[in-house]
Amino acid sequence: MKTEIKPLKSINGEVAIPGDKSISHRALIIGSLAHGTTKITNFLRSEDTLATLNILKAIGANIELTNAKEVVIEGNGLHSFQEPEDILDAKNSGTTMRLIMGVLAAQNFYSVLTGDDSLKKRPMKRVIDPLSKMGGLFFGRKQGNYAPITILGTDDIFPIFYSTPVASAQVKSAILLNALYAKGTSQITEPYKSRDHTERMLKYFGANIEEKGTTVTINGGDDLKGKEVFVPSDISSASFFIVAALIMENSTLLIKDVGINPTRSGAIKILKMMGAEITTLNLRYLNNEPVCDLLVKSSNLKGVEIKGDIIPTLIDEIPILAVAASQADGKTLIKDANELRYKETDRIKAIVNEFTKMGIEIFEREDGFEISGKQKIKGNCTCESYNDHRIAMSLAIAGLIAENPININDFDCVNISYPRFLDTLNTLR
Ligand code: S3P
């Protein structure tokens, strides 16, 4: 589907952002591993989270979508799963594939996980290496790095002390889920701290788990108890509208119930450093996660350097931060973000190619890019989304401030994380 984005003068009002994707995946998985009822409200119903839901159903989990945003799970504990009758399809979702591998490796059965063309090109060895050390047996294409992945699980899981070479919540979470089945204590250390939703939710469900700096310690064998989970609005989805309000004149936006876990909210920190007027209201904790309302006003931004340990806390927001940077005063440099090359598409290449097409000057680096500010966006072009939801939505926001309309190909990939993105945008027009 090709979508035309027309320029806009300002956006104002209150915007409802859908539930957090990372937390929705985790609530489905951890709820299925627990004993008793788990009720998930404000669940994100999108292509990625439905991939997780369908895989869990295929291995015997008792899950029901009770309405558009609500899921009820009747969990029967860690050992309640059965061998699937068919190949399990994680579609476009790296979180589904990597986290589910952690569960499947601890089941005494055979399973095969695959995904779409994008997921089949994403590295899986980073998860397979530690999980193999814990007892699971894995086979995959290209020396075991790419899906389809065959898993011979075992009910004899060893604990592990492991330092991950990359700061990745998907890798860490796969190990943590597998470690629930281990006889003994496991410990995972990351080079930088990645999002800690799995740790917070496991603790909320009763696991014995401790976070200290970049190290997490977890005991195996503990029973998890079903819980009520409210999924906060996704800060990654919110960031598209936050940046839109900041870069358009005379705009004021209120976004309610946004999750602002510090391991996820690096973009807010950076935007504030850039001079953004973002006010945090009504801060509270829901199922171990900090949640607040955000009031955003048009601001004069200035360029910054984004690098080092803040990168994992804003990794998914880099495409939209690049849009903000193109309107800031002065240069913005993004480095240490090589992981962007292993997302749904190579996001560094995608940003550089498509910004150039729109008339924005940007320079590619191996681990990021450099972009000068106060640029005019000419538009009047057809951009590629690369079937990457975050690229599609970032380009759409850039299109709002372009001098001419832009077209974006394959825009329906927004269904991965934000199925009603265009409806939301139109309510603010
Ligand atoms: C996610 C972790 C991040 C992030 C992805 C979602 C998660 O990936 O980019 O969109 O839910 O755990 P990595 O773990 O590969 O850094």
Side-chain angles (χ1 to χ4, degrees), residues 20-23 25-26 48 94-95 98-99 122 126 166-173 194-195 197-198 236 264 312 315-316 339 342-344 347 389-390:
D20 188 280
K21 184 156 80 67
S22 291
I23 296 178
H25 281 297
R26 284 156 174 82
D48 265 21
T95 306
R98 296 195 177 114
L99 269 60
R122 296 179 67 186
R126 50 178 65 191
V166 278
S168 159
Q170 294 176 357
V171 174
K172 176 177 59 176
S173 301
S194 66
R195 64 191 65 187
H197 302 303
T198 305
S236 302
R264 276 292 292 290
I315 190 76
D316 291 342
E339 272 296 300
Y342 305 102
K343 298 295 176 189
E344 286 82 335
R347 286 184 176 158
H389 53 137
R390 301 203 198 282

Side-chain angles (χ1 to χ4, degrees), residues 81-154:
F81 303 105
Q82 298 118 41
E83 187 171 89
E85 285 176 7
D86 211 336
I87 293 171
L88 304 168
D89 192 354
K91 307 256 167 121
N92 188 249
S93 174
T95 306
T96 306
M97 182 164 282
R98 296 195 177 114
L99 269 60
I100 290 288
M101 271 198 237
V103 176
L104 293 175
Q107 312 302 323
N108 204 2
F109 56 64
Y110 163 93
S111 52
V112 182
L113 265 172
T114 193
D116 69 3
D117 287 347
S118 150
L119 192 55
K120 280 190 282 199
K121 291 191 198 101
R122 296 179 67 186
M124 294 299 146
K125 225 170 172 355
R126 50 178 65 191
V127 190
I128 290 175
D129 279 348
L131 292 180
S132 302
K133 289 193 167 77
M134 298 173 82
L137 209 54
F138 293 83
F139 305 92
R141 292 186 305 121
K142 313 244 176 199
Q143 281 87 45
N145 197 19
Y146 294 115
I149 304 282
T150 295
I151 305 164
L152 293 178
T154 171

